[in-house]
Amino acid sequence: MGGVDEAGQQWKACVVEAGGGKNTELHCLGDGAKWIVRQAVKQFGEQAKFLVDFYHLSDYLGAASEKIGKAEGKSWFRQA
């Protein structure tokens, strides 16, 4: 894609091609990579909200719990 900025521009072009405009509210979902979040802000401003997907969020929380030491492994995380 040529780089982060070009990827963001292509992302915006896809939104426009799909019918998005200045009044379109966007819900962005991803792994939380900082460059993706920054591009969402750069390309869409206040129109976009960003959410980390459940898979990655669970993985990040599991890793954090091991570092903090308040949980043994990922045993705290189970399907209800």
Side-chain angles (χ1 to χ4, degrees), residues 33-54:
K34 291 178 183 179
W35 75 268
I36 298 174
V37 176
R38 282 193 298 266
Q39 282 300 313
V41 171
K42 182 176 182 177
Q43 300 298 328
F44 307 111
E46 293 294 318
Q47 289 177 256
K49 304 294 182 223
F50 194 90
L51 179 70
V52 177
D53 65 80
F54 182 76

Side-chain angles (χ1 to χ4, degrees), residues 54-67:
F54 182 76
Y55 175 86
H56 285 95
L57 178 63
S58 298
D59 194 41
Y60 301 152
L61 288 174
S65 73
E66 292 172 5
K67 298 287 184 196

Side-chain angles (χ1 to χ4, degrees), residues 1-47:
M1 289 188 190
V4 172
D5 287 328
E6 186 174 336
Q9 291 166 1
Q10 288 182 21
W11 184 10
K12 186 170 186 175
C14 288
V15 169
V16 170
E17 188 173 324
K22 291 185 179 192
N23 294 319
T24 303
E25 292 183 23
L26 302 168
H27 185 82
C28 305
L29 178 68
D31 66 0
K34 291 178 183 179
W35 75 268
I36 298 174
V37 176
R38 282 193 298 266
Q39 282 300 313
V41 171
K42 182 176 182 177
Q43 300 298 328
F44 307 111
E46 293 294 318
Q47 289 177 256

